[in-house]
Amino acid sequence: MALKMASFLFLLLLVISMLLLTVSVDGSSNTNKVYQPCADAKIQRSDGFTFGIAFSSKPSFFYNQNQSLQLSPCDRRLSLPSSNSQLALFRPKVDEISLLSINTSTFFPDNYGGYMVAFAGRKYAARSTPAFVANGTYIVTSFTLVLEFQKGRLQNLYWKRDGCASCKGKSNFVCLNKQDCAIKVSSCKGRGGLVDCSIGIQLAFSGTDKHLSVLNSWYEVENLRQYSLYGLYSNLRDSLTGEYNKFF
Protein backbone atom coordinates (compact mmCIF):
# COMPACT_ATOMS: atom_id res chain seq x y z
CA MET A 1 0.00 0.00 0.00
CA ALA A 2 1.30 3.43 -0.90
CA LEU A 3 2.31 5.46 2.14
CA LYS A 4 0.67 8.75 2.97
CA MET A 5 3.07 11.67 2.87
CA ALA A 6 3.41 14.02 5.78
CA SER A 7 6.84 14.88 4.46
CA PHE A 8 8.25 13.69 1.15
CA LEU A 9 11.82 13.57 2.44
CA PHE A 10 10.84 11.84 5.68
CA LEU A 11 9.00 9.19 3.70
CA LEU A 12 12.03 8.61 1.50
CA LEU A 13 14.17 7.93 4.57
CA LEU A 14 11.51 5.67 6.07
CA VAL A 15 11.09 3.46 3.01
CA ILE A 16 14.85 3.40 2.37
CA SER A 17 15.24 1.94 5.86
CA MET A 18 12.67 -0.71 4.94
CA LEU A 19 14.60 -1.49 1.77
CA LEU A 20 17.81 -1.99 3.73
CA LEU A 21 16.02 -4.48 5.99
CA THR A 22 13.91 -6.31 3.43
CA VAL A 23 15.86 -6.19 0.17
CA SER A 24 14.88 -9.32 -1.72
CA VAL A 25 17.93 -9.61 -3.96
CA ASP A 26 20.48 -12.23 -2.93
CA GLY A 27 23.41 -10.31 -1.46
CA SER A 28 25.93 -12.71 -2.98
CA SER A 29 24.96 -11.66 -6.52
CA ASN A 30 24.00 -8.04 -5.89
CA THR A 31 26.78 -5.51 -6.60
CA ASN A 32 24.55 -2.42 -6.37
CA LYS A 33 24.68 -1.02 -2.84
CA VAL A 34 22.73 2.12 -3.75
CA TYR A 35 19.31 1.91 -2.09
CA GLN A 36 18.16 5.52 -2.42
CA PRO A 37 16.08 6.37 -5.50
CA CYS A 38 17.57 9.88 -5.57
CA ALA A 39 21.15 8.62 -5.94
CA ASP A 40 23.11 7.37 -8.93
CA ALA A 41 23.87 3.71 -9.51
CA LYS A 42 25.72 1.67 -12.11
CA ILE A 43 24.28 -1.80 -12.45
CA GLN A 44 24.95 -5.23 -13.86
CA ARG A 45 22.51 -8.03 -14.59
CA SER A 46 20.98 -9.61 -11.46
CA ASP A 47 21.63 -6.52 -9.33
CA GLY A 48 18.82 -4.94 -7.38
CA PHE A 49 17.84 -1.49 -8.63
CA THR A 50 15.84 1.04 -6.59
CA PHE A 51 13.44 3.45 -8.24
CA GLY A 52 10.40 5.40 -7.15
CA ILE A 53 6.95 6.21 -8.42
CA ALA A 54 5.44 9.53 -7.32
CA PHE A 55 1.69 10.18 -7.46
CA SER A 56 0.51 13.76 -7.83
CA SER A 57 -1.25 16.14 -10.21
CA LYS A 58 0.23 16.46 -13.68
CA PRO A 59 1.29 20.15 -13.31
CA SER A 60 3.22 19.39 -10.11
CA PHE A 61 5.82 17.43 -12.10
CA PHE A 62 6.72 20.51 -14.16
CA TYR A 63 8.88 23.46 -13.17
CA ASN A 64 7.04 26.07 -15.22
CA GLN A 65 3.38 26.88 -15.73
CA ASN A 66 3.31 26.08 -19.45
CA GLN A 67 4.51 22.53 -18.62
CA SER A 68 7.46 22.64 -21.00
CA LEU A 69 10.11 21.64 -18.43
CA GLN A 70 9.51 18.40 -16.56
CA LEU A 71 11.87 17.69 -13.64
CA SER A 72 12.59 14.54 -11.67
CA PRO A 73 10.69 14.16 -8.38
CA CYS A 74 14.17 14.16 -6.79
CA ASP A 75 14.66 17.78 -7.92
CA ARG A 76 14.11 20.16 -5.00
CA ARG A 77 12.74 22.83 -7.32
CA LEU A 78 9.48 20.90 -7.55
CA SER A 79 6.81 21.43 -4.93
CA LEU A 80 6.18 17.72 -4.28
CA PRO A 81 7.38 17.82 -0.64
CA SER A 82 4.62 20.26 0.24
CA SER A 83 1.97 19.15 -2.25
CA ASN A 84 -0.69 16.46 -2.04
CA SER A 85 1.57 13.62 -3.20
CA GLN A 86 2.30 9.97 -2.49
CA LEU A 87 5.36 7.83 -3.04
CA ALA A 88 6.03 4.13 -3.64
CA LEU A 89 9.53 2.62 -3.83
CA PHE A 90 10.54 -0.64 -5.51
CA ARG A 91 13.73 -2.67 -5.84
CA PRO A 92 13.31 -5.25 -8.62
CA LYS A 93 16.06 -7.49 -9.94
CA VAL A 94 17.73 -6.15 -13.07
CA ASP A 95 16.68 -7.84 -16.32
CA GLU A 96 14.01 -10.01 -14.75
CA ILE A 97 10.39 -9.55 -15.82
CA SER A 98 8.49 -8.33 -12.76
CA LEU A 99 4.99 -7.27 -11.86
CA LEU A 100 4.81 -4.54 -9.23
CA SER A 101 1.57 -4.03 -7.35
CA ILE A 102 0.04 -1.02 -5.63
CA ASN A 103 -2.94 -1.89 -3.45
CA THR A 104 -5.76 0.59 -4.01
CA SER A 105 -8.17 -0.78 -1.42
CA THR A 106 -7.44 2.26 0.79
CA PHE A 107 -5.24 4.35 -1.53
CA PHE A 108 -7.19 6.18 -4.23
CA PRO A 109 -4.89 7.73 -6.90
CA ASP A 110 -7.52 10.28 -7.92
CA ASN A 111 -7.30 11.79 -4.42
CA TYR A 112 -3.64 12.59 -5.08
CA GLY A 113 -3.74 14.18 -8.51
CA GLY A 114 -4.37 11.08 -10.60
CA TYR A 115 -0.97 10.92 -12.37
CA MET A 116 2.26 9.05 -11.70
CA VAL A 117 5.91 9.48 -12.67
CA ALA A 118 8.63 6.82 -12.35
CA PHE A 119 12.08 8.15 -11.48
CA ALA A 120 15.61 7.39 -10.26
CA GLY A 121 19.01 9.10 -10.06
CA ARG A 122 20.30 12.58 -9.27
CA LYS A 123 23.29 13.63 -11.41
CA TYR A 124 22.08 11.12 -13.99
CA ALA A 125 18.42 11.80 -13.17
CA ALA A 126 15.84 10.02 -15.27
CA ARG A 127 12.06 10.24 -15.13
CA SER A 128 9.12 9.00 -17.14
CA THR A 129 6.45 11.22 -18.58
CA PRO A 130 3.39 11.61 -16.32
CA ALA A 131 1.00 8.70 -16.85
CA PHE A 132 -2.71 9.06 -16.20
CA VAL A 133 -3.91 6.66 -13.50
CA ALA A 134 -7.32 7.80 -12.30
CA ASN A 135 -9.91 10.52 -11.95
CA GLY A 136 -13.31 10.52 -10.31
CA THR A 137 -14.75 8.39 -13.11
CA TYR A 138 -12.10 5.99 -14.47
CA ILE A 139 -8.99 4.16 -13.27
CA VAL A 140 -6.26 2.47 -15.32
CA THR A 141 -5.04 -0.65 -13.53
CA SER A 142 -2.45 -2.14 -15.90
CA PHE A 143 0.82 -0.56 -17.09
CA THR A 144 4.08 -1.62 -18.70
CA LEU A 145 7.21 0.30 -17.68
CA VAL A 146 10.58 -0.12 -19.42
CA LEU A 147 13.85 0.92 -17.75
CA GLU A 148 16.49 1.70 -20.36
CA PHE A 149 20.18 1.54 -19.42
CA GLN A 150 23.39 2.37 -21.28
CA LYS A 151 26.62 0.93 -19.87
CA GLY A 152 24.82 0.34 -16.59
CA ARG A 153 23.50 3.90 -16.18
CA LEU A 154 19.76 4.52 -16.24
CA GLN A 155 18.94 6.71 -19.23
CA ASN A 156 15.18 6.64 -19.46
CA LEU A 157 11.96 5.22 -18.05
CA TYR A 158 9.05 5.04 -20.42
CA TRP A 159 5.54 3.66 -20.44
CA LYS A 160 4.72 1.22 -23.24
CA ARG A 161 1.10 1.19 -24.35
CA ASP A 162 -0.74 -1.30 -26.54
CA GLY A 163 -3.36 1.06 -27.95
CA CYS A 164 -6.13 -0.61 -25.90
CA ALA A 165 -5.56 -4.00 -27.52
CA SER A 166 -5.69 -5.70 -24.11
CA CYS A 167 -9.25 -4.57 -23.40
CA LYS A 168 -10.71 -5.12 -26.83
CA GLY A 169 -14.03 -6.91 -26.54
CA LYS A 170 -14.23 -6.49 -22.75
CA SER A 171 -17.47 -4.68 -21.94
CA ASN A 172 -16.39 -3.60 -18.45
CA PHE A 173 -13.42 -1.61 -19.84
CA VAL A 174 -13.29 1.59 -21.86
CA CYS A 175 -10.44 2.89 -24.04
CA LEU A 176 -9.19 6.33 -23.00
CA ASN A 177 -7.39 8.52 -25.56
CA LYS A 178 -6.92 5.45 -27.78
CA GLN A 179 -4.12 4.22 -25.53
CA ASP A 180 -5.25 3.20 -22.01
CA CYS A 181 -7.74 0.54 -20.88
CA ALA A 182 -9.73 1.86 -17.94
CA ILE A 183 -12.48 0.64 -15.65
CA LYS A 184 -15.12 2.73 -13.89
CA VAL A 185 -14.06 3.77 -10.38
CA SER A 186 -17.56 2.96 -9.14
CA SER A 187 -16.85 -0.72 -9.91
CA CYS A 188 -13.83 -0.84 -7.56
CA LYS A 189 -13.66 -2.24 -4.05
CA GLY A 190 -13.82 0.55 -1.52
CA ARG A 191 -15.70 2.71 -3.99
CA GLY A 192 -19.00 0.84 -4.06
CA GLY A 193 -18.04 -2.03 -6.38
CA LEU A 194 -16.57 -5.53 -6.20
CA VAL A 195 -13.61 -5.31 -8.59
CA ASP A 196 -10.03 -5.33 -7.30
CA CYS A 197 -8.63 -2.19 -8.92
CA SER A 198 -5.08 -2.52 -7.59
CA ILE A 199 -2.49 -1.09 -9.97
CA GLY A 200 -0.23 -3.61 -11.70
CA ILE A 201 2.99 -2.40 -13.35
CA GLN A 202 4.71 -4.90 -15.61
CA LEU A 203 8.41 -4.04 -15.50
CA ALA A 204 11.08 -4.81 -18.10
CA PHE A 205 14.64 -3.71 -18.94
CA SER A 206 16.46 -2.77 -22.13
CA GLY A 207 19.93 -1.54 -23.15
CA THR A 208 23.25 -2.70 -21.65
CA ASP A 209 24.70 -3.14 -18.17
CA LYS A 210 28.09 -1.90 -16.95
CA HIS A 211 29.79 -4.89 -18.60
CA LEU A 212 27.98 -4.14 -21.88
CA SER A 213 25.86 -7.26 -21.49
CA VAL A 214 22.53 -6.80 -23.27
CA LEU A 215 19.39 -6.54 -21.13
CA ASN A 216 16.78 -8.72 -22.82
CA SER A 217 13.67 -8.73 -20.63
CA TRP A 218 11.83 -6.14 -22.74
CA TYR A 219 12.09 -8.34 -25.82
CA GLU A 220 10.80 -11.27 -23.77
CA VAL A 221 7.79 -9.21 -22.69
CA GLU A 222 7.06 -8.31 -26.30
CA ASN A 223 7.10 -11.98 -27.26
CA LEU A 224 4.93 -13.03 -24.32
CA ARG A 225 2.22 -10.40 -24.73
CA GLN A 226 0.00 -12.84 -26.61
CA TYR A 227 -0.12 -15.16 -23.58
CA SER A 228 -1.53 -14.91 -20.06
CA LEU A 229 1.31 -13.88 -17.76
CA TYR A 230 -0.33 -14.64 -14.43
CA GLY A 231 1.58 -17.89 -13.93
CA LEU A 232 4.87 -16.04 -14.26
CA TYR A 233 3.98 -13.68 -11.43
CA SER A 234 2.06 -15.80 -8.96
CA ASN A 235 4.93 -15.88 -6.45
CA LEU A 236 6.38 -12.46 -7.18
CA ARG A 237 7.44 -10.41 -4.14
CA ASP A 238 9.12 -7.37 -5.67
CA SER A 239 6.41 -5.00 -4.46
CA LEU A 240 6.72 -3.17 -1.14
CA THR A 241 3.26 -1.70 -1.49
CA GLY A 242 0.90 -4.59 -1.02
CA GLU A 243 -0.40 -7.97 -1.97
CA TYR A 244 -0.44 -9.13 -5.57
CA ASN A 245 -3.84 -9.79 -7.08
CA LYS A 246 -4.80 -11.54 -10.31
CA PHE A 247 -4.73 -8.99 -13.10
CA PHE A 248 -4.62 -11.40 -16.04
Side-chain angles (χ1 to χ4, degrees):
M1 182 178 66
L3 302 174
K4 188 173 183 179
M5 290 183 65
S7 165
F8 199 78
L9 294 178
F10 173 78
L11 183 60
L12 277 175
L13 293 175
L14 176 63
V15 183
I16 289 164
S17 298
M18 292 172 60
L19 282 168
L20 289 170
L21 292 172
T22 63
V23 58
S24 61
V25 178
D26 182 357
S28 62
S29 62
N30 176 39
T31 68
N32 177 22
K33 305 304 180 181
V34 177
Y35 295 96
Q36 299 184 31
C38 294
D40 298 309
K42 200 168 186 179
I43 56 88
Q44 67 179 23
R45 294 181 68 182
S46 298
D47 277 351
F49 182 76
T50 303
F51 74 98
I53 295 180
F55 292 84
S56 192
S57 63
K58 186 176 182 180
S60 67
F61 295 112
F62 293 85
Y63 183 58
N64 47 5
Q65 291 185 347
N66 63 4
Q67 299 185 20
S68 62
L69 179 58
Q70 183 190 345
L71 300 179
S72 167
C74 294
D75 196 306
R76 295 176 181 176
R77 290 174 290 176
L78 292 183
S79 61
L80 289 177
S82 59
S83 67
N84 186 31
S85 304
Q86 290 231 346
L87 173 69
L89 294 188
F90 301 93
R91 189 173 172 86
K93 202 169 185 177
V94 172
D95 210 27
E96 287 194 358
I97 303 172
S98 303
L99 186 74
L100 311 178
S101 176
I102 298 175
N103 190 335
T104 58
S105 60
T106 56
F107 162 63
F108 305 128
D110 49 308
N111 290 339
Y112 299 93
Y115 282 79
M116 64 179 176
V117 166
F119 66 95
R122 183 169 294 280
K123 180 180 179 181
Y124 299 95
R127 77 287 182 275
S128 71
T129 57
F132 171 78
V133 184
N135 55 26
T137 305
Y138 297 108
I139 181 170
V140 180
T141 59
S142 181
F143 297 86
T144 297
L145 178 65
V146 181
L147 279 64
E148 181 182 9
F149 290 82
Q150 290 184 11
K151 298 180 180 179
R153 293 283 190 194
L154 181 65
Q155 302 294 313
N156 193 16
L157 305 98
Y158 55 94
W159 306 103
K160 293 291 291 185
R161 293 178 166 91
D162 64 2
C164 294
S166 60
C167 58
K168 187 175 182 180
K170 297 179 180 179
S171 59
N172 55 333
F173 283 87
V174 297
C175 182
L176 298 180
N177 302 317
K178 298 181 179 180
Q179 63 180 12
D180 292 317
C181 294
I183 191 169
K184 287 186 177 181
V185 169
S186 58
S187 300
C188 299
K189 291 181 180 178
R191 309 294 289 269
L194 300 176
V195 179
D196 181 359
C197 293
S198 294
I199 299 168
I201 303 173
Q202 183 174 289
L203 188 70
F205 296 80
S206 68
T208 56
D209 73 358
K210 62 185 179 182
H211 303 301
L212 299 182
S213 296
V214 176
L215 306 177
N216 293 313
S217 58
W218 165 239
Y219 303 103
E220 295 170 2
V221 168
E222 282 282 78
N223 291 331
L224 287 169
R225 277 189 166 185
Q226 59 183 308
Y227 304 108
S228 171
L229 300 182
Y230 171 69
L232 297 177
Y233 300 124
S234 58
N235 295 315
L236 187 68
R237 300 183 185 209
D238 281 333
S239 172
L240 294 177
T241 58
E243 209 175 289
Y244 170 58
N245 297 289
K246 296 183 180 181
F247 292 94
F248 301 92

